[in-house]
Amino acid sequence: MLEGSVDQYSIPQQENQTSAISMIVGTSVLALLLPTAAIALLELLDQIEYGEFRWLISSMLFSITIISILLISGLSLVGFLKSDNLKMGAGIYLISISMLNLLMRMSNLNYEREMWGQPWFDFMQAPWYHEKLELAIMGIIIGALIMKK
């Protein structure tokens, strides 16, 4: 017969602890939300004044994407996304909105490229064009990493 309590033989469960570095980085990312939202609002007001519907929708989508990336990344790093369902939902949302952002950016860049009459390779060498696409791709990657975590 075994001696001792059942607790001695049970397998210790590993708790999902958030490290101090992760908390600091997550809090910093969340702190970036306020200036990002202020810049997005100013950009939206500028687009409303300009008045073209296509660029207004684009501006809103781009702003929502970057705010979502910051918010979900910050919450994930701080440890607020504990359940697998929350992580999957947040990851799917980020991937979806980032893919929509990428498609909209490609459409807008194609419009600008045709306006200038340049081939894609020459057009994409300017950093202010390819950086826009990199942000959308980064959102897709972050969404996938949050789902995996």
Side-chain angles (χ1 to χ4, degrees):
M1 190 158 148
L2 295 174
E3 294 181 17
S5 68
V6 176
D7 291 336
Q8 288 177 335
Y9 302 107
S10 66
I11 299 171
Q13 293 186 3
Q14 189 175 11
E15 295 203 17
N16 210 358
Q17 298 277 336
T18 306
S19 70
I21 294 173
S22 182
M23 290 288 286
I24 292 169
V25 172
T27 304
S28 300
V29 169
L30 289 173
L32 291 173
L33 277 172
L34 187 59
T36 303
I39 291 169
L41 183 60
L42 291 173
E43 181 181 324
L44 182 63
L45 292 174
D46 188 45
Q47 293 299 328
I48 289 172
E49 185 178 321
Y50 183 66
E52 191 171 337
F53 186 71
R54 172 191 174 109
W55 299 112
L56 177 68
I57 296 299
S58 296
S59 174
M60 289 172 48
L61 177 66
F62 302 156
S63 297
I64 289 171
T65 302
I66 190 66
I67 289 171
S68 297
I69 289 170
L70 288 173
L71 179 65
I72 292 173
S73 298
L75 291 176
S76 177
L77 287 168
V78 170
F80 286 151
L81 300 179
K82 293 192 185 289
S83 74
D84 288 341
N85 290 336
L86 275 175
K87 291 176 186 176
M88 289 298 280
I92 289 170
Y93 170 75
L94 266 185
I95 290 171
S96 300
I97 199 163
S98 295
M99 288 183 81
L100 185 60
N101 185 332
L102 184 62
L103 291 174
M104 183 71 82
R105 294 238 188 228
M106 291 294 288
S107 172
N108 289 346
L109 287 176
N110 194 40
Y111 175 78
E112 288 181 38
R113 184 192 62 81
E114 288 174 357
M115 218 168 60
W116 292 102
Q118 292 182 330
W120 267 104
F121 183 75
D122 294 338
F123 187 72
M124 293 307 286
Q125 287 180 352
W128 49 87
Y129 294 120
H130 67 79
E131 285 174 351
K132 296 174 183 181
L133 299 176
E134 291 166 1
L135 172 67
I137 293 169
M138 184 182 69
I140 295 169
I141 293 169
I142 290 172
L145 288 174
I146 287 174
M147 287 173 58
K148 185 178 180 236
K149 188 177 178 186

